[in-house]
Amino acid sequence: MIERFYLKEFLTFKEADLEFHPGLVVFTGPSGSGKSILMRSILASVGLDNVEAQICESTVSWMIDEERYGLQNENSNIFRHVKKEKTRYFINNQSTSKSSMETISGEYLRHLSLKDYSDFEPSALLRLLDERIMQRSSEYTTLLQNQRGHYAEYKKLSDELKVIEDQEKHLAELKEFALYEIGKIDAIKPKIGEDEELMAIKKQLSKKEKIEAAIAQAETIFAYESQVSSALGLLESDSAFFDDAMNELRNVFESSMERLNELEEISVESVLDRIEQISELKRRYGSVEEALAYREQKAKELESYENIEHSKEDLVHAIGKLKTALDTEAKAISKERHAILAETRERLNLYLGMLYLREATFELEPCEPNASGIDKAVLGLSGTKLDKLSSGEFNRLRLALLALGVESMQGSGGVLMLDEIDANLSGEESMSVAKVLRHLSTRYQIFVISHQPQLTSMGEQHFLIYKDDESRVRELDEQGRIDEIARIISGDAISDEAIGFARDLFERSRGLS
């Protein structure tokens, strides 16, 4: 519920600070006093409208999904928007976006001023039937859960089967392409690091003759090795360092010549061809490693194509078992719905009769299996299409559905906001709407603007909006409520008869509590 509302500097309002109770909350006042402005401001405070107020704030008892929105719950959460240069939005002093605020509040608050057809959707009508059945049978709840779980699995496996069947149509081409891609890489048989080795060989081959000539010239140093050793001996200097250096040099020359001799057997053309093959592979795949990874991927795809028939058989078998379970569950669900349909239609028409509306048709038609079963719920009003109903008829039909839903509702339904739902109604019609709203207020907190004494008298909390130099709002006590009802009846010149009628209306409404 909305526990408190604060408004500062919006159009004709300088300031308003209101505390709300559960149940039916009525706003009345002369035309132009600011009732709609106040209603819009309450909606705006939780992100469901746009107003240019300096501060617009509501304290609510709604729980926020902390993980989803990154916000922390308090005992009561405070929704606020503040306008300076631009409008900013806060929940519990934590900055948030208008869209997040709108999504959160949309889970708890419904504004019934426009033709919102969501209550008349087949899924919503089926849910209304299901909730009535679940109130009487815990087994039905399990049946619905099983059916939805089985349908989700059935849909998943059916989608997988469709992919396989699509693949089957092109299986020969897919196999041929995979083999072709594997063959191109296998024809080259690249090895990791081979390209670096080939470039080193190419470099050595290009310098082979120069290296051989240079080594041949340098080897003359060994002809003077004994003379150097003798000279070091005469100098009584240790010649070990010289001997080690000469041995190391000899080893370098010998290993280099062995490598050059091995290169004799390598064809320069074959090396260049191999380098070109590896380069082409790298141009296509990025690197030898990536080429080998691609080959592995294609090999796995080829294996999956070869196993596709086995996979298809398993899927077809699993889908068949699920289909059998779904058929059984859907028929059982449909049987329960048909069993309660007449009673539900009767209860709906009871509310419609109270609201002075024609009887409704409420039927179940067969449909393709889906997550809700094999039923499609269809609602009509004595043959009139919903989009042809007047606003008054539409809203009263919606009220009847909401009232029907209250009968099987376990917890709070949240907040309903209604704009002059009793406008242009007769006294009897207005009283019927008031009684249905009082019934709804056992599960909903309801905010309503009214110009009729019948609905006004039914309110469990009553606020008067009036205007002098600015718009003001105050909660009325019992006598204040009777005086305001009398004003609605007779205008500003309140008669004793109007006071008497207002008191009688008010006291009779208390008897309905």
Side-chain angles (χ1 to χ4, degrees):
M1 62 172 282
I2 300 176
E3 300 169 348
R4 175 181 174 269
F5 172 71
Y6 177 74
L7 175 67
K8 184 175 181 180
E9 297 291 346
F10 177 50
L11 297 178
T12 55
F13 280 93
K14 296 296 182 185
E15 191 172 41
D17 192 349
L18 311 176
E19 291 188 5
F20 298 125
H21 303 158
L24 182 57
V25 181
V26 178
F27 297 98
T28 65
S31 296
S33 58
K35 297 183 296 298
S36 294
I37 292 173
L38 186 66
M39 187 76 86
R40 283 190 60 205
S41 300
I42 295 172
L43 288 167
S45 69
V46 294
L48 296 175
D49 202 337
N50 296 303
V51 301
E52 298 291 316
Q54 188 180 86
I55 299 175
C56 210
E57 174 183 297
S58 280
T59 303
V60 302
S61 60
W62 309 332
M63 292 298 293
I64 300 168
D65 185 334
E66 295 182 339
E67 185 175 346
R68 179 180 177 185
Y69 296 103
L71 298 166
Q72 188 170 354
N73 282 293
E74 303 290 347
N75 291 332
S76 293
N77 292 313
I78 299 175
F79 288 57
R80 177 191 300 118
H81 88 239
V82 178
K83 178 162 180 64
K84 291 182 180 177
E85 291 81 11
K86 63 177 183 177
T87 302
R88 298 182 64 195
Y89 299 88
F90 301 89
I91 297 178
N92 298 336
N93 292 321
Q94 300 174 73
S95 180
T96 189
S97 66
K98 182 178 184 293
S99 61
S100 291
M101 185 182 283
E102 183 177 1
T103 303
I104 294 167
S105 58
E107 296 176 9
Y108 295 95
L109 187 153
R110 294 184 61 192
H111 182 209
L112 304 185
S113 64
L114 302 174
K115 282 198 172 184
D116 173 5
Y117 288 87
S118 59
D119 289 316
F120 307 108
E121 292 292 332
S123 58
L125 297 172
L126 283 180
R127 187 163 56 250
L128 190 149
L129 284 174
D130 290 339
E131 287 170 353
R132 293 179 74 84
I133 302 169
M134 286 188 288
Q135 189 181 29
R136 308 176 185 186
S137 169
S138 58
E139 290 82 3
Y140 186 74
T141 304
T142 304
L143 182 61
L144 278 180
Q145 290 172 343
N146 289 342
Q147 197 269 345
R148 286 167 186 156
H150 285 150
Y151 183 79
E153 183 66 14
Y154 172 81
K155 184 74 169 59
K156 173 176 169 289
L157 295 184
S158 296
D159 290 343
E160 290 178 13
L161 180 61
K162 187 177 184 304
V163 170
I164 287 177
E165 288 174 340
D166 288 342
Q167 286 179 335
E168 275 186 319
K169 297 174 185 176
H170 310 287
L171 198 56
E173 293 129 356
L174 290 168
K175 279 184 177 180
E176 184 179 346
F177 179 71
L179 285 168
Y180 173 72
E181 293 291 287
I182 291 169
K184 281 197 304 184
I185 297 171
D186 285 353
I188 297 173
K189 294 182 180 177
K191 298 176 183 176
I192 294 174
E194 183 183 4
D195 47 348
E196 289 88 352
E197 291 178 10
L198 287 168
M199 293 307 294
I201 291 171
K202 178 185 175 185
K203 187 175 180 181
Q204 290 173 345
L205 283 171
S206 67
K207 298 192 298 182
K208 180 174 178 294
E209 292 181 0
K210 289 183 179 180
I211 292 172
E212 287 176 336
I215 289 176
Q217 289 178 352
E219 280 181 332
T220 57
I221 191 173
F222 298 118
Y224 301 99
E225 185 176 357
S226 60
Q227 287 91 326
V228 173
S229 294
S230 297
L232 289 170
L234 290 172
L235 292 170
E236 297 182 352
S237 177
D238 187 358
S239 64
F241 76 94
F242 176 70
D243 295 335
D244 290 341
M246 294 303 288
N247 288 333
E248 179 65 24
L249 183 60
R250 191 175 285 106
N251 287 334
V252 170
F253 285 170
E254 286 175 357
S255 61
S256 297
M257 288 304 295
E258 287 175 4
R259 177 64 179 151
L260 290 173
N261 290 334
E262 291 173 0
L263 291 176
E264 291 286 348
E265 300 174 6
I266 297 175
S267 165
V268 175
E269 289 77 11
S270 66
V271 170
L272 294 176
D273 288 345
R274 186 65 177 171
I275 288 174
E276 179 58 31
Q277 288 177 332
I278 299 296
S279 296
E280 178 61 29
L281 209 64
K282 289 168 70 175
R283 278 193 294 272
R284 183 175 177 82
Y285 301 107
S287 68
V288 171
E289 290 84 353
E290 288 172 299
L292 291 172
Y294 180 74
R295 185 209 176 280
E296 182 65 20
Q297 175 193 332
K298 288 298 169 189
K300 287 180 179 177
E301 288 178 11
L302 187 60
E303 185 180 354
S304 72
Y305 301 147
E306 291 168 352
N307 293 332
I308 200 166
E309 285 299 329
H310 181 67
S311 299
K312 182 181 177 182
E313 288 175 10
D314 290 345
L315 276 175
V316 169
H317 179 68
I319 289 169
K321 287 181 65 177
L322 283 170
K323 182 71 167 60
T324 300
L326 278 171
D327 287 344
T328 301
E329 290 160 354
K331 287 175 183 176
I333 290 168
S334 184
K335 182 179 178 181
E336 294 283 354
R337 287 170 175 166
H338 278 87
I340 204 170
L341 181 62
E343 176 201 311
T344 304
R345 184 169 51 236
E346 183 180 339
R347 293 295 298 171
L348 175 60
N349 283 323
L350 175 66
Y351 288 114
L352 292 175
M354 289 171 57
L355 292 164
Y356 296 93
L357 283 175
R358 305 181 300 281
E359 285 195 347
T361 56
F362 190 5
E363 304 296 339
L364 289 173
E365 298 177 354
C367 68
E368 288 297 314
N370 57 64
S372 297
I374 53 173
D375 300 310
K376 179 183 179 182
V378 181
L379 179 71
L381 195 61
S382 293
T384 304
K385 292 184 178 179
L386 295 178
D387 58 358
K388 299 300 182 183
L389 296 176
S390 69
S391 296
E393 289 175 321
F394 184 90
N395 283 328
R396 280 182 283 161
L397 177 57
R398 184 160 51 176
L399 278 185
L401 285 174
L402 288 170
L404 187 62
V406 163
E407 294 183 353
S408 54
M409 191 179 288
Q410 300 300 313
S412 169
V415 179
L416 296 177
M417 300 195 77
L418 305 136
D419 289 344
E420 303 184 33
I421 194 166
D422 58 352
N424 303 317
L425 298 182
S426 68
E428 288 182 337
E429 290 171 336
S430 179
M431 180 56 79
S432 72
V433 168
K435 288 178 179 178
V436 171
L437 288 177
R438 174 66 72 84
H439 173 63
L440 285 172
S441 71
T442 61
R443 295 294 182 183
Y444 292 92
Q445 183 187 40
I446 303 174
F447 294 90
V448 61
I449 294 173
S450 179
H451 289 288
Q452 297 275 24
Q454 290 82 4
L455 177 51
T456 302
S457 69
M458 283 286 188
E460 291 157 285
Q461 196 175 15
H462 186 168
F463 290 91
L464 173 66
I465 294 92
Y466 59 99
K467 190 174 182 182
D468 40 40
D469 56 330
E470 62 186 71
S471 290
R472 302 178 190 275
V473 56
R474 62 185 174 86
E475 185 176 1
L476 297 178
D477 59 17
E478 184 173 318
Q479 186 57 51
R481 294 188 63 179
I482 292 170
D483 292 342
E484 172 61 6
I485 293 169
R487 184 199 65 77
I488 294 172
I489 294 169
S490 63
D492 291 335
I494 300 174
S495 64
D496 292 339
E497 290 82 359
I499 289 285
F501 183 74
R503 178 173 285 106
D504 181 60
L505 194 61
F506 181 76
E507 289 175 353
R508 279 192 284 122
S509 72
R510 297 309 91 191
L512 295 174
S513 298

